[in-house]
Amino acid sequence: MNKQELKEKYGKKRVPHEWRKTDWFTTLVVTFFGSGMSPKAPGTMGSLAAAIVAYPMAVLADHLFNGKERLFVPLHIGETECGLLINLFFLAAALFVFFAAIPFVKKAMKDTGTEDPGWIVIDEVCGIFMALAFFPTNLIVLHPWFLAIAFGLFRFFDILKPLGIHRFEKFPGAWGVMADDLLGGIYAGILLCFAAAGIYKIIFS
């Protein structure tokens, strides 16, 4: 046998990746610029990419709106008065990604004959942005390490899917792919909001 025959018989056959069955633009969207193509932990890579992108987004929002993107919602828990901050910029970003991604996720799954494959990570991007929708933009700019906390909290809810998140997975088609991460982001964001308040209370008390 010559070298080519040996390669054909014993060489590792390359199996085309599923995403190659759909068009390049759909692939670009659902893998979030290729971050979902990671052979290991694509969901983690997609979430990490979203957290990294969130920093320049926060810098831009802080420059453009200078705090005007915040909405404070007062809450009364028993005799305790507290509040929940809503970051309208990241809330809009999360909702935009959610609804804009639905047709692309639907097309990707239809073209490839898959159902919520790991390389679709645009839902993780939506979740990270939603987690940051409960956090002030200027603190992201001043203390980027809060992005690591948001990342960790979101991955916790995304992987374990507690508090009814797993039920959202059962929504039909692309809606199920996106909805569970949106809810996971909400839970992560609320925890992030209260965790940040606790950290600052300890630091400045």
Side-chain angles (χ1 to χ4, degrees):
M1 285 187 180
N2 59 34
K3 186 176 180 180
Q4 183 61 31
E5 289 174 333
L6 286 170
K7 185 177 180 181
E8 290 177 359
K9 184 173 182 178
Y10 298 106
K12 185 177 179 180
K13 293 181 173 59
R14 187 176 180 182
V15 179
H17 294 293
E18 293 169 336
W19 62 73
R20 292 178 179 164
K21 297 177 183 178
T22 191
D23 65 273
W24 69 270
F25 189 72
T26 297
T27 300
L28 195 69
V29 171
V30 300
T31 65
F32 194 55
F33 302 100
S35 58
M37 294 179 180
S38 172
K40 294 183 179 180
T44 298
M45 292 298 104
S47 301
L48 181 61
I52 292 171
V53 168
Y55 183 75
M57 288 175 63
V59 172
L60 177 63
D62 190 50
H63 176 73
L64 292 177
F65 303 111
N66 194 26
K68 295 179 181 178
E69 77 284 356
R70 304 176 200 169
L71 176 66
F72 188 77
V73 181
L75 299 173
H76 300 278
I77 303 175
E79 297 181 357
T80 304
E81 292 188 7
C82 57
L84 192 64
L85 183 143
I86 307 296
N87 186 321
L88 298 176
F89 176 79
F90 275 104
L91 176 62
L95 293 178
F96 173 79
V97 171
F98 180 87
F99 289 106
I102 291 290
F104 290 102
V105 173
K106 183 178 179 180
K107 185 177 188 303
M109 292 194 298
K110 181 180 179 182
D111 290 349
T112 61
T114 57
E115 186 174 343
D116 196 6
W119 45 268
I120 292 181
V121 296
I122 193 65
D123 48 333
E124 272 83 7
V125 177
C126 175
I128 289 289
F129 289 171
M130 181 55 76
L132 297 175
F134 297 87
F135 198 75
T137 305
N138 67 316
L139 286 188
I140 297 174
V141 176
L142 292 173
H143 306 291
W145 50 269
F146 273 114
L147 289 170
I149 299 177
F151 168 83
L153 287 172
F154 171 70
R155 288 304 292 159
F156 168 81
F157 286 105
D158 188 29
I159 293 170
L160 298 183
K161 302 190 186 302
L163 304 175
I165 295 177
H166 67 282
R167 296 180 183 176
F168 280 62
E169 273 189 312
K170 298 178 182 178
F171 286 2
W175 294 98
V177 174
M178 300 296 299
D180 66 316
D181 290 83
L182 187 71
L183 181 58
I186 291 173
Y187 287 150
I190 292 172
L191 277 182
L192 178 66
C193 180
F194 287 113
I199 291 170
Y200 265 76
K201 186 176 181 180
I202 292 170
I203 293 175
F204 296 108
S205 60

